[in-house]
Amino acid sequence: MARVVCVFQPTWNTLFGIILIIGLCCYSVLALLHQSLTTTLKPWPAQVLRRIVEVNENPEVHGLIVQLPLDSINPMDTEKVTNAVAPEKDVDGLTSINAGKLSRGDLQDCFIPCTPKGCMKLISQTDQRISLHAVASVNFFSDTAIAHSFTPKTIGRLAREVGLFSEEVEHYGTTRAKVRLEALNRLKTQPDGKYLVVTGITPTPLGEGTTTTTLGLAQALGAHLHVNSFACVRQPSQGSNFGVKGGAVGGGYSQVIPMEEVSLHLTSDTQAVMAASSLVVDTINARVLSESTQSDKVIKNNIIFLSGSVASEMMAVLALSTSLGDMTRRLARMVVAYSRKGKPVTTEDLGISGVLATLMRDAVKPSLMQTMEGTPVFVHTCPLSDIAQGNSSILADQIALKLVGPEGFVVTEAEGGAELGMEKFFDIKCRSSGLHPDVVVMVATVHGLKIHGGGPALVCLSNVCLQNLTLLENGCSHLKRQLENARAFGLPVIVAINTFSTDTDAELGLVCEQAKLAGALEAVPCSHWAEGGAGAVALGQAVQRAAEIPHQMNFLYDLEMPIDDKIRAIAKSMYGAGDVELLPQAQQKVALFSKQGLGNLPICMAKTHLSLSHDPERKGVPTGFTLPIRDIHANLGAGFLYPLVGTVSTGAVTHL
C-alpha cells in the first residue's frame, strides 16, 4: 500500500490567513452575543421608529414626547427620530413642521410646547391682555438670524428660471448678477405683465414696512398663487441712516438675501455714482486752479462754482434712464456749475460727459437677487424721496415686466408717503418710462395711524401699543387723506395693513372699515413679516381682482402749466396746503427758467418725508397752511425742476 506523506511547511502568508479566519469567527460570535444583549437591554433605532409609528397610529394616545438626549449604545439620528413623530401628536414641538409653524406664529393645528404655554397661562392670570398670535409673532429672531437660516438658489439657476439667457447675465459671485440691457431688446415684442406700485402713509419712527410689503406681496403671488412675479426695490442707502432700517431690504421672512451683499456694496452702483460725482468736483477744482493763473479779466468772467448736489442728480439720472444712450445724453446735459455771469456749465462743457458715462456703464444694468422664498428681485438705484424721485429704476421695471409675461405681476416700490414718492412715481417716472400701473397698494400700520391720531411717537413702551380705538380712528383721517391722493391718479387702491403682534382684532377691523369708507377697493391685514408670502396671500388675491378692473391713469398736472401753478397743484392736491408762498429767490428762478424754456419740465418737490406739510413735527392731516418755497433748482440731466420746501436741504451751493 502506497503511503503519501505530505510535508506541511508554513509560510507567513499562510499564518496570516489562519489568523484572519479565526478572527472572523470570533467577530461573528461576538456580534451574535452583542445583538442578543442589545435586543434585551436597548432597542435598535429601527425598533424605536417602529414604536413611534405604533403610537402615532394609536387613537387612544393624544401626544408623544421623545426624551432627549437619546440614550443608546447604538448611534441614532436624533432628527430622524423626532421627525418620525406625527406633527399632531408632537407635544414638544420638535418636528421640523411644528418648529416652522411656531416660528411663523401659525398655531392653528399644532401643539404649543409646554414651557411657552405655561408662560402664557401665567400671563393670562395678570391684568395684561395677550393672545396666542401676539406671543407667536414676537420677534424672537433678528432679521439677520432669519436671513442666515435660508440658502439662496445659485444666481445662474434663478436667471434661467426667469427666462434670461446666460450671455445676458454677468455674475457677481454665486448669489447676485447684473442683467445686460440686451435682454430688453430681445424681449421687446413680449407683452408686459401687470404693474403694481406700493406706497404708504406718511412714515413714522416705528416704520410702516413698504419694502417688506413689496417683497411679501411678490412672494405671495409667485410662491403661493403660482403666477410669475418680480419685485423691484431700491438699494439701501449707506448714508447717515445706514443700519437704521435694518440689515437688509425688507425684514423677517420677507427680505432680500443674502442680506450682507444687498446692504453693503452689492454690485458697486453707489460707488460708481460717487466716483463720477468726485470726478466732477475734481474737474471743477482743476478748472478754477487753472484759471486762477490767467489774467484778471478771464477770472472775472469765467471762474465757476458748484451747483447743488451732483451725486443726488446722478443717482436720479441712473434711475430715470431708459438705455445706456439715454443715460449718456442725460449726463451730458447736467448743469454742475454756473459762471459769475450766471451762465450754466454742463459736464459736456467741461469735456467729461463721456468719462462719466464710462464710469457708470455697469451701474445702469439692474442687479438681480432673490427673496427668501426664491422670488426674483431687481435691486437698483437709490434716489431719496425727499430730494429726488424716490423710486427704483425704470430699466428694472421694464425688464421685469417683459420677463413675467402678460399674466405675471411686477411689484415696484415708491419710497415715502403717497404724497411724495407716489406722486413723483406718476408725474416723473411714469412720464419718462411710458409705463402705466394697474393697481396702487397703500401700506398702513395700526401704530403708525395712532401716531398720526395724536399718539406718542416713541416705540412700543407707551400707550401707542395699547388698544385705543379713539386714537386710531383719529389717525384714520390721515389714511383717508393718503387714499384720496392715490385715487387722484385714477387707479384702484388696495390697503395692506402691515400687522404687528400688538394689534387687536378690533383695531384691525376699524382700519379695514375706515379704509373702505375712504374709497379703498379692499383692505387686507397681512402678516408677511412673520409668515413670508403665506401671510400676504389674501393681499395677492385682492390685487389680482383689482388688476382686472378697467381704469385710466391720470397725471396730476399738465406739463404746459406755468411752473408756479404746477407747484400749487401739488401742494393743494397732495399736501392739503391752503396756498403756496414763493420767496423772492424762488420767484426769480420761476422767471429765469420760464425764459430759458424750462417751464414744461415736471416738478420734483424737495420736502420732508415725515409730514404732509413742510414741518416734520406736524402729523395727521394738517390743513390750511401756507407752503413756503424758498428756491427752485433745475436738474436738467434728470429732467425736472425741484423746489426747496421749507428748510429741506439738498447740498449747499459752494463757491470755489
Side-chain angles (χ1 to χ4, degrees):
M1 176 190 248
R3 185 177 61 175
V4 177
V5 178
C6 295
V7 179
F8 181 74
Q9 182 66 40
T11 64
W12 285 112
N13 288 338
T14 305
L15 291 174
F16 178 81
I18 294 171
I19 294 171
L20 179 60
I21 293 172
I22 295 172
L24 289 173
C25 293
C26 293
Y27 175 81
S28 299
V29 172
L30 290 173
L32 290 172
L33 180 61
H34 179 267
Q35 181 178 1
S36 176
L37 289 173
T38 53
T39 301
T40 303
L41 299 177
K42 298 285 184 180
W44 283 90
Q47 291 177 303
V48 174
L49 295 175
R50 282 198 299 270
R51 182 59 180 146
I52 290 174
V53 171
E54 290 174 4
V55 175
N56 288 341
E57 296 175 349
N58 187 347
E60 301 298 322
V61 179
H62 299 93
L64 172 61
I65 296 177
V66 176
Q67 186 65 47
L68 299 178
L70 294 174
D71 183 19
S72 174
I73 62 174
N74 302 295
M76 302 184 79
D77 188 333
T78 300
E79 183 176 2
K80 185 175 182 180
V81 172
T82 54
N83 279 328
V85 179
E88 65 273 13
K89 295 188 177 184
D90 177 23
V91 175
D92 262 349
L94 295 178
T95 64
S96 297
I97 293 175
N98 283 346
K101 288 182 177 180
L102 289 170
S103 68
R104 297 191 304 268
D106 181 7
L107 306 180
Q108 300 303 313
D109 58 352
C110 67
F111 269 102
I112 304 172
C114 55
T115 301
K117 188 169 184 178
C119 293
M120 291 165 57
K121 181 67 175 177
L122 291 173
I123 294 173
S124 68
Q125 295 175 359
T126 69
D127 294 331
Q128 297 297 318
R129 185 186 183 280
I130 197 163
S131 66
L132 296 183
H133 175 71
V135 172
S137 300
V138 172
N139 182 8
F140 289 114
F141 305 101
S142 68
D143 287 348
T144 304
I146 294 172
H148 288 174
S149 68
F150 282 71
T151 301
K153 307 172 187 175
T154 63
I155 198 63
R157 174 186 170 188
L158 180 67
R160 289 192 299 272
E161 288 178 352
V162 301
L164 290 167
F165 293 169
S166 58
E167 61 268 20
E168 295 168 343
V169 180
E170 298 174 357
H171 292 241
Y172 283 67
T174 60
T175 55
R176 52 193 161 142
K178 283 285 191 182
V179 175
R180 294 175 179 169
L181 304 188
E182 287 80 0
L184 189 57
N185 296 330
R186 174 175 66 84
L187 297 167
K188 62 183 178 182
T189 59
Q190 166 91 319
D192 287 347
K194 302 291 185 181
Y195 195 27
L196 314 177
V197 58
V198 178
T199 184
I201 63 173
T202 298
T204 62
L206 294 176
E208 316 320 312
T210 54
T211 306
T212 307
T213 303
T214 299
L215 298 170
L217 175 56
Q219 290 181 155
L221 290 166
H224 300 270
L225 296 176
H226 310 297
V227 296
N228 290 341
S229 67
F230 225 112
C232 296
V233 298
R234 297 162 59 257
Q235 183 180 354
S237 171
Q238 293 183 14
S240 58
N241 289 330
F242 180 53
V244 174
K245 288 179 64 178
V249 171
Y253 287 88
S254 295
Q255 59 177 304
V256 180
I257 55 173
M259 63 178 302
E260 292 87 355
E261 293 179 2
V262 72
S263 298
L264 296 175
H265 301 295
L266 191 58
T267 49
S268 300
D269 294 351
T270 302
Q271 287 71 22
V273 169
M274 296 309 297
S277 177
S278 296
L279 175 63
V280 172
V281 175
D282 292 343
T283 302
I284 292 175
N285 285 335
R287 176 78 173 266
V288 170
L289 179 62
S290 174
E291 294 192 0
S292 67
T293 63
Q294 306 300 316
S295 67
D296 291 341
K297 182 178 180 180
V298 175
I299 294 174
K300 181 178 179 181
N301 291 336
N302 293 323
I303 226 169
I304 53 182
F305 56 88
L306 187 63
S307 172
S309 174
V310 175
S312 175
E313 183 177 3
M314 284 187 174
M315 186 60 78
V317 164
L318 190 64
L320 291 172
S321 296
T322 56
S323 67
L324 180 59
D326 183 35
M327 184 189 72
T328 302
R329 290 187 291 272
R330 287 174 178 271
L331 291 173
R333 64 176 183 254
M334 280 182 59
V335 175
V336 295
Y338 289 89
S339 71
R340 288 294 182 183
K341 288 187 174 181
K343 178 183 177 181
V345 178
T346 66
T347 62
E348 183 73 13
D349 295 330
L350 295 175
I352 59 172
S353 59
V355 180
L356 295 178
T358 301
L359 284 172
M360 294 174 59
R361 67 178 184 179
D362 288 330
V364 77
K365 306 168 189 174
S367 298
L368 177 65
M369 296 190 75
Q370 62 192 282
T371 69
M372 304 186 73
E373 296 182 11
T375 304
V377 181
F378 278 137
V379 184
H380 199 210
T381 74
C382 57
L384 302 176
S385 64
D386 52 352
I387 60 174
Q389 72 271 27
N391 304 152
S392 60
S393 75
I394 287 175
L395 281 167
D397 291 359
Q398 287 179 329
I399 297 175
L401 283 166
K402 295 298 183 184
L403 289 172
V404 298
E407 302 302 319
F409 286 81
V410 171
V411 189
T412 194
E413 176 194 13
E415 185 200 22
E419 91 288 354
L420 207 59
M422 184 203 67
E423 184 274 319
K424 295 174 182 179
F425 172 85
F426 285 109
D427 286 321
I428 297 177
K429 183 177 178 180
C430 289
R431 289 185 196 271
S432 295
S433 69
L435 301 173
H436 290 185
D438 298 284
V439 181
V440 176
V441 177
M442 173 77 66
V443 180
T445 59
V446 167
H447 62 243
L449 292 175
K450 287 180 182 177
I451 291 174
H452 283 294
L458 297 178
V459 185
C460 265
L461 299 178
S462 59
N463 290 333
V464 74
C465 278
L466 300 179
Q467 177 169 297
N468 189 325
L469 298 181
T470 301
L471 198 64
L472 180 59
E473 187 170 6
N474 291 339
C476 283
S477 61
H478 177 85
L479 176 60
K480 178 182 178 182
R481 173 79 236 189
Q482 292 289 34
L483 282 169
E484 291 172 354
N485 289 342
R487 295 179 63 219
F489 295 92
L491 303 181
V493 184
I494 303 294
V495 171
I497 308 173
N498 183 20
T499 60
F500 281 64
S501 61
T502 52
D503 300 342
T504 68
D505 292 340
E507 289 173 331
L508 295 174
L510 176 61
V511 176
C512 288
E513 177 187 3
Q514 292 294 311
K516 292 177 183 178
L517 289 174
L521 190 64
E522 295 187 52
V524 185
C526 309
S527 54
H528 42 276
W529 186 96
E531 299 182 86
V537 168
L539 175 62
Q541 293 169 331
V543 163
Q544 286 179 307
R545 291 189 290 269
E548 299 302 321
I549 298 175
H551 57 272
Q552 179 64 47
M553 196 197 87
N554 308 316
F555 292 116
L556 188 63
Y557 53 81
D558 294 328
L559 291 180
E560 292 72 23
M561 291 172 59
I563 296 173
D564 54 343
D565 286 348
K566 286 185 282 194
I567 295 173
R568 190 167 285 105
I570 296 172
K572 289 187 173 183
S573 299
M574 294 285 109
Y575 310 158
D579 201 359
V580 171
E581 179 187 13
L582 271 68
L583 300 180
Q585 192 167 0
Q587 294 178 21
Q588 295 172 11
K589 291 295 183 65
V590 167
L592 174 64
F593 293 149
S594 299
K595 182 179 179 180
Q596 292 176 340
L598 304 178
N600 62 347
L601 291 177
I603 301 298
C604 182
M605 301 287 272
K607 180 187 80 72
T608 178
H609 64 292
L610 298 175
S611 172
L612 286 169
S613 73
H614 58 284
D615 181 358
E617 300 302 319
R618 296 187 68 177
K619 306 301 181 185
V621 189
T623 58
F625 58 91
T626 298
L627 192 75
I629 309 296
R630 76 172 195 272
D631 198 359
I632 305 175
H633 292 173
N635 273 2
L636 299 187
F640 53 67
L641 303 178
Y642 65 97
L644 302 183
V645 180
T647 60
V648 72
S649 176
T650 64
V653 175
T654 306
H655 292 268
L656 301 176

